Amino acid sequence: DRSPQLKGVITGAVDEGDVVAIYEGTTLLGTAALNGGTSWTFDLPSLLLDGSSHTYTAKGVDAAGNEGAATST
């Protein structure tokens, strides 16, 4: 699949307005809204080249913009 989707689940307390920030290295690719609870999905913004390797991290972000610790996705 050349246009994959990242998926994950937040463990811990989640409040209204919280999102997940998706990074490739230090570049913010975008944010994912929570899907009615603690799960989220993110469609990558561009196609991946065959054989290419990418590393992404996700950070929980509260409504005030405070980011949590990064986790690999």
Side-chain angles (χ1 to χ4, degrees):
D1 187 353
R2 292 182 59 191
S3 55
Q5 185 179 70
L6 303 176
K7 298 180 180 185
V9 175
I10 291 181
T11 57
V14 177
D15 294 319
E16 182 76 26
D18 289 357
V19 296
V20 176
I22 306 298
Y23 290 87
E24 182 172 15
T26 59
T27 302
L28 175 64
L29 299 179
T31 59
L34 298 173
N35 302 328
T38 59
S39 65
W40 57 269
T41 57
F42 181 77
D43 294 318
L44 292 169
S46 60
L47 295 178
L48 298 177
L49 300 174
D50 292 337
S52 62
S53 176
H54 297 264
T55 301
Y56 302 99
T57 55
K59 296 180 180 182
V61 182
D62 67 17
N66 300 306
E67 290 187 343
T71 60
S72 296
T73 59

